[in-house]
Amino acid sequence: MLPRLIRTASLAAVATAAFAADAQPTFLRDVAPILNKAGCTQGTCHGAAKGKNGFKLSLRGYDPQFDYEALLYDLSGRRFNRADPGRSLMLAKPTQEVAHGGGQRFPKDSDYYRTIYTWIANGVPFGDPAKDAVASIDVQPREVFMTKPGETAAVHVTARFLDGQTRDVTREAVVESNVPDVAQVSPSAEVKGERTGEATLLVRFQGQLSAVPVTVLNPKPGFAWSAPPQYNYIDRAIDAKLQRLKIQPSAIADDATFLRRVSLDLTGQIPTPAAVQAFLADRTPQHQKRAKLIDKLIASPAYVDHWTVKWGDLLQSNRKYLGDKGVYGFREWIHDAIAANRPYDKMVRELLTARGSSYDDPATNYFRVTRDAKPTMEKTTQVFLGVRMVCAQCHDHPFERWTQKQYYEMSAFFSAVGLRAGYEVGEEIIFDQRSDYEMKHPKDGRTVAPKLLLASAKPMTVPTDEHRRDALADWIVSRDNPFFAKAIANRLWSYFMGKGIIDPVDDIRASNPPSNPALLDALAKDVADHNFDLQYLMRTIANSRAYQTSIDPNEWNAADRDNFSHAFPRRLSAEELMDAVTAAAGARPNFPEVPEDTNADQLVDPHIGQEGFLDVFGRPPRESACECERRSDFSLPQALNLVNGRTISDAVADPKGRIATLVLSGKTDAAIVDELYLASMGRAPTTEERDRAVHYLAPGPRATRAQDLLWALLNSKAFLYIY
């Protein structure tokens, strides 16, 4: 017994001496960071929703008060032995002196052990939240730039506490790479460049987060920047980064490729053979005729139909929630807003402040889908701000600054929204409740007052009465809102380029930084300066060289996936593919419940043609507001549908379709081949393609063999993708 007392006394003396030059350890300042670094608060350990082995801590230590009380009072405080700190389960388990499912988290001779030992010996003080909480962290260097793979760099993290003191917390901070095969991080926070590319280091410490960009250059010699044409500020922002990264952009795509690409992106329709021939024959300078084409497409009815589908997806226009009459009314409201080019801020404000009958004011249908305050808030922030708040409902957001309190403060803006039955079948009235509408916090049941996610740049009064959502709408659409313009600019960019500058587009957070911050800032400022004119922003993007580049890479940009140095093939959406098949075949789609000449882009909701071709190819069910609902993958059922399904076979064999018309017109085999290529590929066939196709048609029967040729074209990758 005496030797153990001597050892315990010696350890206590050493531990106390270690803190002699500093304040005695507290839970907030010293112990909580150790628990987080050791992994105790991870989702796979005690930070799981139900804890682990009967003991629960808050996820990533977001609630230190909860963790402190759990350690002290759970199971009558048996995790501490204040008479003999070394026997405390809090020390015995992570050092494996007592069996521990999580294995050894730190050894007995470590600084972590001595810190916790001293803390227990000193009476387990919690600390002063006004002094010991972390105010901010500083990460050095601010950017890691490596000239070749294999180089290393050390990261240093300094915490500043609310009492003004600072401390090197590099060892306790969590430093992770979002692309480990580009930048690998060691336990000591040393970064090693693994291959050419870009990554971001995510640095976390006690609720504070910082992002550090990492660039590993291509060491290949011989790079010499060749200045490409720049059509607007988009190209200047992209080229500034490309030149720095030693990436040469691809050449501009040819006219036929551009025509097909921009037609699909703006209208969802492939160009007709006549449109292709006219555009290729136009001798106007290239950039001028392309700008003219963009204006013509935006002014077309097909443009309105196409973008009505996109906004119908995001706003969940679906008869499952709205009924037959409601969904048609909401679709028409969206259609009219796009046709009139209603400013985006006015469109959003109208949705958020809508009141009255769902039949008389279709914008009220926005609230009929989600109905409750919390899902309405989640949809609003995700669609219009690009911020996902759903993780903060049960706890502070693990990857962002948003807290559980802020989740309920934002939800409180919609807590007064009431719904009641109207006078007609299926009608509902959206109104402001005058009582019993307060939002309650789930932890203590207290009333939560509405509060903006971020303070408004201009003085703003937030009412606590039933008209509170009007104030939220004012803040959301404000030009001073740091998210609103950025979110829509990023979303539109992704529609044209296949990937957002921030990706996913509806997940804007510090730990998911933009690939080109200067470009995103410029786009956001431009759309705000032009009164949120979305047609203007689309023109700007489509007129840029970046949008018009070829998919063909060069030796310097073949590995680039994030900097828009060349275009990427994108699979046609379900509606685009259906309309492209019928347009190329000269047939009409066959949908139940709608007029015979209705295109897929004109369907009111996913109920029409359910479980058919459109659903197989990824049409979203409109049951959430996430872009991820629309699938653009390629699967075996899709391949089988293309090869053996009735959609293509019926279109190709339509007795009133393109093949029948061409054969009956008496056109030559070469003319038939030319038109089939123009109708499907948006270009004339090459000499080799024409010769082989004519050779195939020659033996006859012409109609059957022409159908085979068109079927093959419609099953080709070049037809299935925007390129």
Side-chain angles (χ1 to χ4, degrees):
M1 182 66 180
L2 184 59
R4 175 170 180 82
L5 289 175
I6 293 173
R7 288 197 302 272
T8 302
S10 299
L11 183 56
V14 171
T16 302
F19 284 92
D22 197 1
Q24 293 298 314
T26 67
F27 183 81
L28 272 178
R29 190 183 292 245
D30 305 283
V31 177
I34 294 175
L35 298 179
N36 293 333
K37 183 65 174 182
C40 306
T41 59
Q42 288 182 355
T44 55
C45 196
H46 299 296
K50 296 183 179 180
K52 184 73 70 174
N53 294 331
F55 179 49
K56 175 170 173 53
L57 296 171
S58 64
L59 181 64
R60 297 181 186 266
Y62 79 90
D63 191 343
Q65 183 69 47
F66 174 87
D67 296 342
Y68 179 75
E69 293 177 358
L71 285 165
L72 258 66
Y73 306 124
D74 186 55
L75 297 178
S76 302
R78 74 184 186 94
R79 291 181 176 84
F80 294 100
N81 187 333
R82 303 186 194 188
D84 187 354
R87 291 190 172 185
S88 300
L89 285 180
M90 189 178 175
L91 286 173
K93 282 206 166 188
T95 57
Q96 281 287 66
E97 286 195 306
V98 172
H100 180 223
Q104 186 185 66
R105 309 315 300 171
F106 48 79
K108 285 190 67 173
D109 60 353
S110 66
D111 290 340
Y112 288 168
Y113 185 94
R114 287 189 286 271
T115 298
I116 297 175
Y117 186 102
T118 305
W119 174 66
I120 297 172
N122 289 348
V124 294
F126 179 70
D128 185 353
K131 295 180 180 180
D132 292 335
V134 179
S136 63
I137 59 173
D138 177 65
V139 183
Q140 296 295 332
R142 301 290 176 85
E143 178 184 15
V144 177
F145 198 82
M146 300 178 180
T147 59
K148 60 183 178 181
E151 293 183 354
T152 60
V155 173
H156 299 282
V157 186
T158 302
R160 184 176 65 83
F161 297 89
L162 290 177
D163 62 1
Q165 293 189 33
T166 60
R167 178 191 294 176
D168 186 337
V169 295
T170 304
R171 188 175 57 170
E172 288 73 45
V174 177
V175 184
E176 299 173 319
S177 170
N178 69 337
V179 190
D181 62 337
V182 170
Q184 187 66 251
V185 184
S186 73
S188 60
E190 183 179 76
V191 185
K192 181 182 179 182
E194 297 289 337
R195 67 167 176 82
T196 299
E198 293 179 283
T200 299
L201 301 182
L202 308 177
V203 184
R204 297 195 313 274
F205 180 75
Q206 293 305 96
Q208 301 295 319
L209 185 143
S210 183
V212 178
V214 179
T215 302
V216 184
L217 292 184
N218 184 351
K220 183 179 178 180
F223 177 81
W225 176 256
S226 177
Q230 294 179 339
Y231 296 151
N232 54 30
Y233 67 86
I234 290 175
D235 300 328
R236 291 190 290 274
I238 287 177
D239 289 352
K241 187 176 182 187
L242 293 181
Q243 188 172 6
R244 182 170 179 261
L245 299 181
K246 296 184 179 181
I247 296 175
Q248 184 67 38
S250 294
I252 293 175
D254 61 69
D255 280 348
T257 298
F258 171 77
L259 172 62
R260 187 176 187 273
R261 180 190 300 174
V262 76
S263 297
L264 284 164
D265 282 339
L266 283 174
T267 68
Q269 306 294 314
I270 58 175
T272 65
V276 175
Q277 291 172 322
F279 188 71
L280 297 181
D282 188 348
R283 296 305 171 206
T284 303
Q286 186 182 72
H287 191 59
Q288 293 180 25
K289 76 171 183 177
R290 291 187 179 191
K292 183 178 178 182
L293 171 67
I294 292 166
D295 290 342
K296 180 180 179 181
L297 292 172
I298 289 177
S300 69
Y303 163 86
V304 180
D305 292 337
H306 183 58
W307 291 91
T308 297
V309 170
K310 289 188 178 294
W311 281 105
D313 292 346
L314 291 175
L315 300 179
Q316 298 171 266
S317 180
N318 187 344
R319 74 188 66 198
K320 174 181 177 180
Y321 308 111
L322 310 179
D324 289 349
K325 187 173 180 179
V327 75
Y328 275 92
F330 198 28
R331 194 260 181 190
E332 282 305 301
W333 182 89
I334 297 170
H335 188 275
D336 291 347
I338 294 170
N341 193 28
R342 190 173 305 160
Y344 180 62
D345 58 335
K346 289 182 170 54
M347 176 180 167
V348 172
R349 197 181 195 288
E350 189 172 340
L351 286 168
L352 297 180
T353 61
R355 294 170 172 85
S357 165
S358 58
Y359 291 166
D360 296 337
D361 185 359
T364 56
N365 286 288
Y366 179 79
F367 297 100
R368 297 181 66 204
V369 177
T370 45
R371 308 188 75 81
D372 188 62
K374 290 184 288 186
T376 301
M377 182 277 293
E378 292 172 8
K379 178 171 76 171
T380 298
T381 53
Q382 185 168 354
V383 173
F384 303 130
L385 303 180
V387 175
R388 297 182 181 181
M389 292 293 291
V390 62
C391 286
Q393 180 176 359
C394 302
H395 50 72
D396 289 2
H397 199 300
F399 305 115
E400 191 45 283
R401 52 184 161 172
W402 315 128
T403 65
Q404 185 183 31
K405 180 182 178 184
Q406 287 178 300
Y407 177 95
Y408 286 94
E409 287 172 342
M410 285 291 288
S411 297
F413 281 104
F414 297 106
S415 61
V417 176
L419 292 87
R420 63 175 175 82
Y423 298 103
E424 297 185 44
V425 175
E427 179 188 29
E428 285 191 296
I429 308 298
I430 310 301
F431 66 99
D432 295 322
Q433 301 182 82
R434 296 183 180 180
S435 62
D436 298 326
Y437 56 76
E438 297 297 346
M439 175 63 61
K440 303 291 185 181
H441 198 288
K443 280 190 175 180
D444 51 21
R446 60 185 169 82
T447 298
V448 180
K451 186 178 180 181
L452 299 173
L453 203 58
L454 295 174
S456 175
K458 297 178 181 178
M460 190 174 185
T461 301
V462 178
T464 57
D465 63 14
E466 66 270 22
H467 303 295
R468 52 184 63 183
R469 61 184 161 117
D470 295 275
L472 177 66
D474 290 339
W475 174 74
I476 284 181
V477 305
S478 169
R479 296 187 184 188
D480 299 322
N481 188 315
F483 297 107
F484 184 64
K486 187 175 293 186
I488 187 59
N490 187 54
R491 193 182 293 274
L492 287 184
W493 179 267
S494 74
Y495 291 153
F496 286 87
M497 306 299 286
K499 183 177 184 179
I501 303 168
I502 295 176
D503 193 67
V505 296
D506 49 12
D507 193 13
I508 298 176
R509 49 186 163 86
S511 53
N512 185 30
S515 59
N516 192 324
L519 172 61
L520 184 55
D521 289 344
L523 288 166
K525 182 179 184 301
D526 197 24
V527 72
D529 288 346
H530 287 83
N531 300 315
F532 295 99
D533 182 341
L534 298 190
Q535 287 187 8
Y536 164 82
L537 186 59
M538 292 180 196
R539 285 190 183 92
T540 303
I541 295 172
N543 275 298
S544 70
R545 184 212 72 235
Y547 173 74
Q548 299 181 19
T549 54
S550 167
I551 64 170
D552 298 324
N554 55 51
E555 61 176 318
W556 301 106
N557 70 359
D560 178 43
R561 296 291 182 271
D562 302 312
N563 295 293
F564 312 107
S565 60
H566 59 95
F568 284 95
R570 293 171 278 136
R571 206 210 74 196
L572 271 64
S573 71
E575 294 87 349
E576 290 168 349
L577 183 55
M578 169 68 89
D579 287 343
V581 166
T582 54
R588 298 304 306 162
N590 182 23
F591 295 113
E593 306 175 24
V594 295
E596 190 176 300
D597 59 348
T598 303
N599 288 332
D601 248 358
Q602 296 172 324
L603 298 179
V604 68
D605 77 336
H607 173 80
I608 301 172
Q610 198 167 16
E611 298 183 1
F613 182 91
L614 295 175
D615 289 347
V616 169
F617 281 89
R619 177 177 61 174
R622 294 184 176 177
E623 294 184 355
S624 84
C626 182
E627 287 281 1
C628 57
E629 255 205 346
R630 181 175 287 277
R631 303 190 325 275
S632 59
D633 58 342
F634 203 80
S635 64
L636 180 59
Q638 293 170 354
L640 294 174
N641 193 292
L642 291 172
V643 174
N644 297 316
R646 295 188 58 182
T647 299
I648 288 183
S649 61
D650 287 355
V652 167
D654 191 316
K656 297 180 181 179
R658 191 177 302 277
I659 297 293
T661 302
L662 287 172
V663 171
L664 292 175
S665 70
K667 287 192 175 183
T668 65
D669 289 349
I672 291 175
V673 170
D674 284 351
E675 179 154 342
L676 292 183
Y677 267 87
L678 288 169
S680 58
M681 300 290 104
R683 62 172 177 84
T686 65
T687 301
E688 181 183 0
E689 288 170 336
R690 182 183 291 109
D691 291 345
R692 293 178 65 181
V694 169
H695 179 74
Y696 178 76
L697 294 182
R702 296 178 77 207
T704 300
R705 288 183 171 250
Q707 289 174 8
D708 291 345
L709 174 60
L710 182 56
W711 179 91
L713 291 173
L714 298 185
N715 273 279
S716 67
K717 287 184 178 180
F719 180 78
L720 299 174
Y721 285 80
I722 301 173
Y723 51 87

